[in-house]
mmCIF file of all heavy atoms in Angstrom:
data_model
loop_
_atom_site.group_PDB
_atom_site.id
_atom_site.type_symbol
_atom_site.label_atom_id
_atom_site.label_comp_id
_atom_site.label_asym_id
_atom_site.label_seq_id
_atom_site.Cartn_x
_atom_site.Cartn_y
_atom_site.Cartn_z
ATOM 1 N N VAL A 96 -2.941 18.524 -9.325
ATOM 2 C CA VAL A 96 -3.799 19.678 -9.039
ATOM 3 C C VAL A 96 -5.246 19.217 -9.186
ATOM 4 O O VAL A 96 -5.649 18.753 -10.253
ATOM 5 C CB VAL A 96 -3.533 20.850 -10.007
ATOM 6 C CG1 VAL A 96 -4.402 22.047 -9.649
ATOM 7 C CG2 VAL A 96 -2.061 21.236 -10.008
ATOM 8 N N LEU A 97 -6.020 19.332 -8.104
ATOM 9 C CA LEU A 97 -7.421 18.922 -8.118
ATOM 10 C C LEU A 97 -8.299 20.118 -7.783
ATOM 11 O O LEU A 97 -8.016 20.863 -6.837
ATOM 12 C CB LEU A 97 -7.668 17.806 -7.097
ATOM 13 C CG LEU A 97 -6.926 16.490 -7.336
ATOM 14 C CD1 LEU A 97 -7.160 15.534 -6.165
ATOM 15 C CD2 LEU A 97 -7.364 15.853 -8.638
ATOM 16 N N PRO A 98 -9.380 20.348 -8.537
ATOM 17 C CA PRO A 98 -10.279 21.452 -8.222
ATOM 18 C C PRO A 98 -10.907 21.286 -6.852
ATOM 19 O O PRO A 98 -11.204 20.163 -6.422
ATOM 20 C CB PRO A 98 -11.348 21.383 -9.323
ATOM 21 C CG PRO A 98 -11.011 20.254 -10.202
ATOM 22 C CD PRO A 98 -9.826 19.554 -9.677
ATOM 23 N N HIS A 99 -11.085 22.391 -6.161
ATOM 24 C CA HIS A 99 -11.714 22.364 -4.831
ATOM 25 C C HIS A 99 -12.576 23.610 -4.687
ATOM 26 O O HIS A 99 -12.070 24.724 -4.707
ATOM 27 C CB HIS A 99 -10.649 22.317 -3.743
ATOM 28 C CG HIS A 99 -11.201 22.069 -2.366
ATOM 29 N ND1 HIS A 99 -11.762 23.075 -1.612
ATOM 30 C CD2 HIS A 99 -11.285 20.938 -1.636
ATOM 31 C CE1 HIS A 99 -12.154 22.569 -0.457
ATOM 32 N NE2 HIS A 99 -11.888 21.273 -0.446
ATOM 33 N N GLY A 100 -13.878 23.400 -4.543
ATOM 34 C CA GLY A 100 -14.770 24.546 -4.466
ATOM 35 C C GLY A 100 -14.892 25.234 -5.814
ATOM 36 O O GLY A 100 -14.604 24.653 -6.866
ATOM 37 N N GLU A 101 -15.294 26.487 -5.762
ATOM 38 C CA GLU A 101 -15.550 27.211 -7.005
ATOM 39 C C GLU A 101 -14.287 27.701 -7.679
ATOM 40 O O GLU A 101 -14.178 27.686 -8.911
ATOM 41 C CB GLU A 101 -16.477 28.398 -6.720
ATOM 42 C CG GLU A 101 -16.975 29.096 -7.971
ATOM 43 C CD GLU A 101 -18.016 30.164 -7.667
ATOM 44 O OE1 GLU A 101 -18.449 30.260 -6.492
ATOM 45 O OE2 GLU A 101 -18.382 30.896 -8.588
ATOM 46 N N HIS A 102 -13.292 28.111 -6.896
ATOM 47 C CA HIS A 102 -12.096 28.712 -7.485
ATOM 48 C C HIS A 102 -10.792 28.102 -6.978
ATOM 49 O O HIS A 102 -9.742 28.344 -7.570
ATOM 50 C CB HIS A 102 -12.053 30.216 -7.203
ATOM 51 C CG HIS A 102 -13.246 30.950 -7.709
ATOM 52 N ND1 HIS A 102 -13.512 31.102 -9.045
ATOM 53 C CD2 HIS A 102 -14.264 31.572 -7.042
ATOM 54 C CE1 HIS A 102 -14.625 31.788 -9.205
ATOM 55 N NE2 HIS A 102 -15.110 32.089 -8.012
ATOM 56 N N GLY A 103 -10.840 27.329 -5.906
ATOM 57 C CA GLY A 103 -9.614 26.847 -5.287
ATOM 58 C C GLY A 103 -9.110 25.545 -5.884
ATOM 59 O O GLY A 103 -9.727 24.946 -6.768
ATOM 60 N N ALA A 104 -7.950 25.106 -5.394
ATOM 61 C CA ALA A 104 -7.349 23.856 -5.856
ATOM 62 C C ALA A 104 -6.561 23.223 -4.715
ATOM 63 O O ALA A 104 -5.926 23.919 -3.911
ATOM 64 C CB ALA A 104 -6.423 24.112 -7.041
ATOM 65 N N VAL A 105 -6.623 21.900 -4.662
ATOM 66 C CA VAL A 105 -5.761 21.126 -3.769
ATOM 67 C C VAL A 105 -4.588 20.621 -4.600
ATOM 68 O O VAL A 105 -4.779 19.997 -5.651
ATOM 69 C CB VAL A 105 -6.516 19.946 -3.126
ATOM 70 C CG1 VAL A 105 -5.551 19.074 -2.324
ATOM 71 C CG2 VAL A 105 -7.640 20.456 -2.238
ATOM 72 N N ILE A 106 -3.390 20.939 -4.146
ATOM 73 C CA ILE A 106 -2.201 20.564 -4.904
ATOM 74 C C ILE A 106 -1.374 19.562 -4.113
ATOM 75 O O ILE A 106 -1.433 19.504 -2.877
ATOM 76 C CB ILE A 106 -1.338 21.796 -5.234
ATOM 77 C CG1 ILE A 106 -0.883 22.512 -3.955
ATOM 78 C CG2 ILE A 106 -2.090 22.749 -6.146
ATOM 79 C CD1 ILE A 106 0.101 23.649 -4.203
ATOM 80 N N GLY A 118 -1.603 20.755 -0.143
ATOM 81 C CA GLY A 118 -2.030 22.053 0.357
ATOM 82 C C GLY A 118 -3.180 22.594 -0.467
ATOM 83 O O GLY A 118 -3.422 22.164 -1.606
ATOM 84 N N TYR A 119 -3.892 23.534 0.119
ATOM 85 C CA TYR A 119 -4.998 24.196 -0.566
ATOM 86 C C TYR A 119 -4.551 25.577 -1.017
ATOM 87 O O TYR A 119 -4.043 26.370 -0.227
ATOM 88 C CB TYR A 119 -6.206 24.335 0.373
ATOM 89 C CG TYR A 119 -7.305 25.191 -0.208
ATOM 90 C CD1 TYR A 119 -8.122 24.718 -1.211
ATOM 91 C CD2 TYR A 119 -7.505 26.501 0.250
ATOM 92 C CE1 TYR A 119 -9.125 25.505 -1.765
ATOM 93 C CE2 TYR A 119 -8.507 27.298 -0.285
ATOM 94 C CZ TYR A 119 -9.314 26.798 -1.298
ATOM 95 O OH TYR A 119 -10.296 27.583 -1.835
ATOM 96 N N VAL A 120 -4.741 25.845 -2.317
ATOM 97 C CA VAL A 120 -4.379 27.136 -2.882
ATOM 98 C C VAL A 120 -5.657 27.915 -3.171
ATOM 99 O O VAL A 120 -6.471 27.514 -4.011
ATOM 100 C CB VAL A 120 -3.566 26.979 -4.183
ATOM 101 C CG1 VAL A 120 -3.206 28.358 -4.747
ATOM 102 C CG2 VAL A 120 -2.307 26.170 -3.928
ATOM 103 N N ARG A 121 -5.832 29.005 -2.465
ATOM 104 C CA ARG A 121 -6.979 29.875 -2.705
ATOM 105 C C ARG A 121 -6.835 30.522 -4.089
ATOM 106 O O ARG A 121 -5.782 31.061 -4.422
ATOM 107 C CB ARG A 121 -7.019 30.965 -1.622
ATOM 108 C CG ARG A 121 -8.287 31.804 -1.625
ATOM 109 C CD ARG A 121 -8.148 32.912 -0.597
ATOM 110 N NE ARG A 121 -9.392 33.639 -0.453
ATOM 111 C CZ ARG A 121 -10.238 33.491 0.543
ATOM 112 N NH1 ARG A 121 -9.964 32.631 1.520
ATOM 113 N NH2 ARG A 121 -11.359 34.197 0.598
ATOM 114 N N GLY A 122 -7.884 30.414 -4.896
ATOM 115 C CA GLY A 122 -7.806 30.957 -6.251
ATOM 116 C C GLY A 122 -6.919 30.150 -7.170
ATOM 117 O O GLY A 122 -6.451 30.657 -8.195
ATOM 118 N N GLY A 123 -6.687 28.882 -6.821
ATOM 119 C CA GLY A 123 -5.769 28.057 -7.602
ATOM 120 C C GLY A 123 -6.219 27.787 -9.025
ATOM 121 O O GLY A 123 -5.419 27.394 -9.864
ATOM 122 N N ARG A 124 -7.499 28.021 -9.319
ATOM 123 C CA ARG A 124 -8.001 27.810 -10.675
ATOM 124 C C ARG A 124 -8.186 29.123 -11.423
ATOM 125 O O ARG A 124 -8.799 29.157 -12.490
ATOM 126 C CB ARG A 124 -9.316 27.032 -10.617
ATOM 127 C CG ARG A 124 -9.156 25.646 -10.031
ATOM 128 C CD ARG A 124 -10.475 25.054 -9.563
ATOM 129 N NE ARG A 124 -11.406 24.862 -10.667
ATOM 130 C CZ ARG A 124 -12.703 24.651 -10.513
ATOM 131 N NH1 ARG A 124 -13.220 24.629 -9.291
ATOM 132 N NH2 ARG A 124 -13.475 24.466 -11.559
ATOM 133 N N SER A 125 -7.626 30.174 -10.878
ATOM 134 C CA SER A 125 -7.746 31.477 -11.517
ATOM 135 C C SER A 125 -6.839 31.556 -12.740
ATOM 136 O O SER A 125 -5.911 30.758 -12.911
ATOM 137 C CB SER A 125 -7.369 32.585 -10.531
ATOM 138 O OG SER A 125 -5.994 32.508 -10.214
ATOM 139 N N LEU A 128 -3.159 31.841 -11.695
ATOM 140 C CA LEU A 128 -2.450 30.718 -11.078
ATOM 141 C C LEU A 128 -2.469 29.431 -11.895
ATOM 142 O O LEU A 128 -1.650 28.548 -11.659
ATOM 143 C CB LEU A 128 -3.019 30.447 -9.681
ATOM 144 C CG LEU A 128 -2.631 31.450 -8.600
ATOM 145 C CD1 LEU A 128 -3.291 31.114 -7.278
ATOM 146 C CD2 LEU A 128 -1.106 31.515 -8.442
ATOM 147 N N ARG A 129 -3.376 29.305 -12.843
ATOM 148 C CA ARG A 129 -3.419 28.075 -13.638
ATOM 149 C C ARG A 129 -2.082 27.782 -14.325
ATOM 150 O O ARG A 129 -1.608 26.638 -14.306
ATOM 151 C CB ARG A 129 -4.551 28.136 -14.669
ATOM 152 C CG ARG A 129 -5.905 27.743 -14.114
ATOM 153 C CD ARG A 129 -6.872 27.341 -15.229
ATOM 154 N NE ARG A 129 -7.016 28.367 -16.247
ATOM 155 C CZ ARG A 129 -7.934 29.312 -16.235
ATOM 156 N NH1 ARG A 129 -8.805 29.367 -15.237
ATOM 157 N NH2 ARG A 129 -8.006 30.207 -17.203
ATOM 158 N N LEU A 132 0.380 26.384 -11.687
ATOM 159 C CA LEU A 132 0.096 25.079 -11.099
ATOM 160 C C LEU A 132 -0.023 23.991 -12.156
ATOM 161 O O LEU A 132 -0.920 23.138 -12.106
ATOM 162 C CB LEU A 132 -1.183 25.161 -10.263
ATOM 163 C CG LEU A 132 -1.101 26.102 -9.053
ATOM 164 C CD1 LEU A 132 -2.432 26.142 -8.319
ATOM 165 C CD2 LEU A 132 0.022 25.675 -8.112
#
Side-chain angles (χ1 to χ4, degrees):
V96 182
L97 297 174
H99 189 280
E101 189 173 353
H102 302 292
V105 174
I106 59 174
Y119 171 75
V120 180
R121 189 185 187 103
R124 297 162 63 196
S125 67
L128 286 178
R129 277 200 305 268
L132 296 178

